[in-house]
């Protein structure tokens, strides 16, 4: 059974309510480091891999395509349904950190792509992932950095330009969300949970998205109130999206797509 005592239900409800929108917007941007994460965790044919906070199953699908034996969990049933569609060969179930319904040492690798900061106390999360991998198994985690790339600052700059009140806790700022925002801090976090050879590096990628689709997704995200303290009125949404679109023009490629530079932290440790 899943132990939900330490769950932030407000957070889970948000994911549940906005799962479909997440896939088309934030989730697409989060796909950037998936291959690097799975490479680092040595996920290949036959690897028993756990994907925690699987969301729409992006990591689970790529791991399954590599021939891994995938288990994917998320506390949001809507996300688990999407993950099942994306990775039908994976075992998908509703479960939440920091208490997972698995015995000790039953996976070769456990990975979480942008789950830190959402899944409860960070130390407990890493300790739980260490518990479920076998000796010689790997724990891999990605997280945002406190030094974002240019493509990650556009929305914040647009909100600032129109004076829209941001969330009291900016969810993209790791150090305000309870996990380290730099590589040294992430390596220390994994090492302090007893993982060996813990290390962390910065990975960079361009998030490619059609300019119109990006603006439309931003408008929908703003309408949910996910990005701001209170949902802005439609006229303010239009102004924010207009500012963001203007700020994005340096990243327009000749084919009309945006190529938005992103960076993230990729941490790995061995049990
Ligand atoms: C930023 S999304 C990342 C989703 C996915 N890993 C990806 O690459 O797109 C964070 C995910 O963490 C999940 N989550 C929230 N609380 C959690 C918890 N306590 N344990 C595990 N996952 C949790 C959310 O439901 C959401 O799917």
């Amino acid at each position: 059974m899943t132990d939900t005592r330490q769950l932030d239900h407000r957070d889970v409800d948000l994911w549940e309510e906005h799962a479909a929108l997440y896939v088309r917007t934030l989730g697409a941007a989060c796909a950037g480091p998936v291959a690097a994460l799975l490479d680092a965790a040595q996920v290949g044919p036959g690897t028993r891999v756990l994907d925690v906070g699987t969301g729409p199953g992006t990591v689970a699908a790529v791991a399954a395509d590599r021939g891994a034996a995938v288990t994917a969990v998320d506390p949001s049933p809507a996300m688990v349904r999407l993950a099942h569609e994306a990775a039908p060969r994976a075992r998908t179930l509703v479960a939440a950190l920091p208490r997972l319904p698995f015995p000790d040492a039953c996976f070769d690798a456990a990975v979480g792509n942008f789950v830190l900061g959402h899944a409860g106390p960070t130390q407990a999360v890493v300790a739980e992932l260490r518990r479920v991998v076998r000796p010689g198994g790997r724990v891999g985690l990605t997280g945002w950095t406190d030094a974002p790339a240019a493509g990650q600052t556009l929305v914040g700059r647009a909100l600032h330009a129109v004076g829209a009140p941001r969330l009291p806790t900016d969810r993209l700022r790791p150090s305000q969300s309870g996990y380290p925002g730099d590589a040294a801090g992430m390596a220390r976090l994994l090492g302090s949970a007893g993982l060996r050879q813990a290390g962390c590096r910065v990975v960079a990628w361009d998030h490619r998205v059609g300019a119109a689709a990006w603006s439309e997704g931003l408008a929908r995200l703003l309408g949910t109130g996910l990005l701001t303290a209170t949902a802005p009125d439609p006229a303010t949404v239009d102004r924010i999206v207009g500012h963001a679109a203007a700020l994005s023009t340096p990243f327009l490629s000749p084919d009309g797509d945006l190529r938005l530079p992103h960076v993230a932290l990729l941490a790995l440790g061995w049990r």
Side-chain angles (χ1 to χ4, degrees):
M1 284 292 288
T2 302
D3 182 340
T4 56
R5 277 172 300 180
Q6 295 185 59
L7 270 186
D8 178 346
H9 286 283
R10 187 180 163 276
D11 197 68
V12 174
D13 288 349
L14 282 175
W15 295 111
E16 178 72 10
E17 193 179 340
H18 302 299
L21 181 58
Y22 173 84
V23 180
R24 295 194 290 112
T25 55
L26 304 170
C30 288
V34 167
L37 175 63
L38 292 174
D39 287 348
Q42 299 186 355
V43 174
T47 309
R48 297 167 303 166
V49 62
L50 171 66
D51 177 28
V52 288
T54 189
T58 314
V59 175
V62 176
D65 284 347
R66 291 182 178 206
V70 182
T71 300
V73 303
D74 200 284
S76 157
M79 288 294 197
V80 170
R81 279 193 295 278
L82 291 172
H84 176 67
E85 285 168 21
R89 286 195 309 254
R91 176 168 63 136
T92 46
L93 60 152
V94 174
L97 289 160
R99 293 274 184 84
L100 296 172
F102 306 116
D104 294 354
C106 64
F107 296 103
D108 301 310
V111 294
N113 194 41
F114 301 112
V115 174
L116 288 179
H118 299 290
T122 304
Q123 289 278 357
V125 163
V126 180
E128 181 67 349
L129 297 182
R130 180 185 179 278
R131 181 185 71 77
V132 297
V133 297
R134 63 168 169 80
R138 288 81 63 194
V139 172
L141 292 164
T142 57
W144 299 113
T145 128
D146 275 334
Q152 294 164 284
T153 65
L154 303 181
V155 175
R157 288 165 59 201
L159 290 171
H160 183 75
V162 306
R166 305 189 70 176
L167 283 174
T169 300
D170 180 348
R171 287 161 190 269
L172 293 184
R173 287 281 169 181
S175 55
Q176 293 179 35
S177 303
Y179 68 99
D182 62 282
M186 282 283 271
R188 272 196 304 277
L189 171 68
L190 268 60
S192 67
L195 292 166
R196 295 181 295 109
Q197 298 173 37
C200 181
R201 64 188 168 92
V202 174
V203 288
W205 72 98
D206 282 351
H207 171 45
R208 289 190 63 158
V209 55
W214 186 70
S215 290
E216 190 253 344
L218 176 57
R220 304 240 351 225
L221 281 171
L222 288 162
T224 65
L226 274 171
L227 303 179
T228 48
T230 52
D233 60 63
T236 308
V237 168
D238 284 348
R239 286 175 58 219
I240 297 167
V241 172
H243 272 281
L247 291 168
S248 73
T249 52
F251 305 105
L252 260 180
S253 60
D255 59 10
D257 279 358
L258 291 170
R259 295 182 189 193
L260 301 173
H262 279 54
V263 290
L265 300 169
L266 195 179
L268 187 89
W270 293 68
R271 175 159 181 198

